[in-house]
Amino acid sequence: MASFDVPEFDYTRYSNRQLAAVPLAVLAVALLVLTGSFLATGTPVPLGMDFSGGSELTIQTTSSEAEIAAAFDEEPESIQAVSAPDSRNQYVVQFASTDLESLSQQAQQNLEQDGDADIVQLESTVSESFGAQTQQTALLGLAVAFVGMSAIAFLLFRTFVPSIAIVISAFSDLVIPLAFMTVAGISLSLGTVAALLMLIGYSVDSDILLNNHVLRRQGDFYESTRRAMQTGITMTVTSMAAMLVMGVAAWLFGVELLASIGIILFVGLAADLMNTYLLNLSLLRWYKFEGVRS
C-alpha cells in the first residue's frame, strides 16, 4: 500500500490533559447538539422514511420543484432531483402520509394539465409502526456491534485503560457524525446506519493498531507511536479521500444516499484521526508512564 510521510508531531510539548481537551470538547458539543435536537423534535437525528414511515413518488416532469410542492395538498418532506433520460427532470418526492393513491391522483391532476408529467414509479409505502420497528432493529444492530467491539477490545488487551480508550474513541467516532447529520439535515436511514456500522470497524481498526504498537512491540513510546501513525494515518487519509470523491460524485449525479454515506464516512474518519491520535494516545501515555498497570 502506498504511504506518505506523516509530519512530525512533538507530543512531549503537551500534557495528557491538553491532548485530550480538543476531542473531549468536540464530543461535548456533539452531545449538546444531539440533546438539543431530541428536546426540540423528539429524535436526536432526523429520521428518514425507512424509520418514520411515509410514501414516495418518482415523477418525471418539466415542472419546477416549487410547482411540484404546490401540486399536493400535503407539503412534501423532501424533493430530490435525479437524472432523467430526456429533457425532463426526474424527481423523487417523499411524504409523511401513507395515502399513496391520493398522492398519485393529485400528481396526475395537477402536474399533467399540460401533458408534461409521468408518474414513473409508485414506491410502496412504509407504515409508521413498521418504520418504528425497523428503527428499533437498526439501533439494536448498532448497539450489538458497539458492545461486540468493546468486548473484543477487552479480550485483546485485558487491561482497563487501553481497552476503555478504544471504547471511548469509538463512541466519539459515532456521536460526532450523528451530530453532523443533525446539523446538515441528513436523515437517519438504513443506508446511513450502514455507514455508522462501517465507522465502528474503522475506529476499532485504527485504535487497536495504535495500542498494539505501543503496548506489544519493542521500542520507545514515541517511536512506537510514530510507526503506528505512519500506517494508520495513511490508511485513514486514503479512505477519507475515497469517501470524499464518492460523496461528491454521487451528489453531482443526484444519488442522495451515496452522497450522504460518503460525507458521513468522511466526517467520521476525520473524527477518528482526532480521537485516535489525541484522546486514545493521551490515555495510553498516562497508562504507560503514570498509571498502575496490571
Side-chain angles (χ1 to χ4, degrees):
M1 181 179 63
S3 63
F4 53 86
D5 291 331
V6 176
E8 291 282 354
F9 184 82
D10 187 4
Y11 282 103
T12 61
R13 294 177 55 191
Y14 304 94
S15 68
N16 292 326
R17 289 185 179 181
Q18 288 174 320
L19 290 178
V22 173
L24 288 178
V26 175
L27 175 59
V29 171
L31 289 171
L32 284 175
V33 169
L34 295 176
T35 302
S37 176
F38 178 77
L39 294 176
T41 65
T43 58
V45 183
L47 298 179
M49 196 178 76
D50 294 334
F51 297 146
S52 62
S55 302
E56 185 176 278
L57 290 176
T58 302
I59 302 171
Q60 192 164 294
T61 179
T62 57
S63 301
S64 65
E65 292 189 17
E67 291 171 332
I68 293 174
F72 298 94
D73 296 335
E74 174 188 348
E75 183 178 355
E77 293 290 311
S78 68
I79 302 176
Q80 177 193 349
V82 296
S83 59
D86 55 30
S87 60
R88 296 183 295 176
N89 294 323
Q90 190 165 297
Y91 297 91
V92 177
V93 190
Q94 292 186 345
F95 302 88
S97 170
T98 57
D99 190 354
L100 190 60
E101 183 177 354
S102 174
L103 293 171
S104 176
Q105 291 175 352
Q106 292 173 38
Q108 291 172 349
Q109 292 172 0
N110 298 326
L111 290 176
E112 291 189 353
Q113 293 177 356
D114 298 325
D116 67 347
D118 291 323
I119 308 299
V120 178
Q121 187 176 2
L122 297 178
E123 300 287 352
S124 57
T125 60
V126 177
S127 68
E128 185 175 350
S129 60
F130 182 79
Q133 183 179 357
T134 305
Q135 178 185 348
Q136 292 175 358
T137 302
L139 294 178
L140 178 62
L142 275 175
V144 169
F146 190 85
V147 171
M149 176 276 301
S150 303
I152 289 174
F154 277 93
L155 286 173
L156 282 174
F157 296 101
R158 301 180 186 274
T159 45
F160 180 76
V161 174
S163 303
I164 202 65
I166 295 175
V167 174
I168 294 173
S169 295
F171 175 74
S172 184
D173 288 348
L174 282 179
V175 171
I176 292 172
L178 285 171
F180 174 81
M181 290 171 62
T182 301
V183 173
I186 299 175
S187 299
L188 188 68
S189 63
L190 291 175
T192 53
V193 166
L196 295 173
L197 287 171
M198 284 188 279
L199 279 177
I200 294 177
Y202 276 116
S203 175
V204 72
D205 180 53
S206 58
D207 287 314
I208 287 178
L209 174 69
L210 175 63
N211 286 18
N212 192 58
H213 272 75
V214 170
L215 300 177
R216 293 183 173 176
R217 296 193 180 185
Q218 295 181 347
D220 174 75
F221 176 86
Y222 296 105
E223 179 59 31
S224 298
T225 298
R226 169 72 179 175
R227 291 198 303 265
M229 291 177 68
Q230 185 67 49
T231 302
I233 292 181
T234 298
M235 291 169 49
T236 303
V237 171
T238 302
S239 298
M240 288 175 64
M243 293 304 104
L244 183 61
V245 170
M246 183 187 79
V248 171
W251 176 75
L252 290 174
F253 285 98
V255 186
E256 184 178 3
L257 178 57
L258 281 180
S260 298
I261 290 174
I263 191 62
I264 290 169
L265 287 173
F266 179 84
V267 171
L269 289 170
D272 182 54
L273 278 178
M274 175 184 66
N275 289 318
T276 300
Y277 300 108
L278 291 180
L279 180 59
N280 189 358
L281 190 135
S282 68
L283 292 171
L284 281 178
R285 189 170 67 174
W286 177 87
Y287 171 76
K288 286 280 287 185
F289 296 112
E290 302 175 38
V292 178
R293 286 175 284 178
S294 59

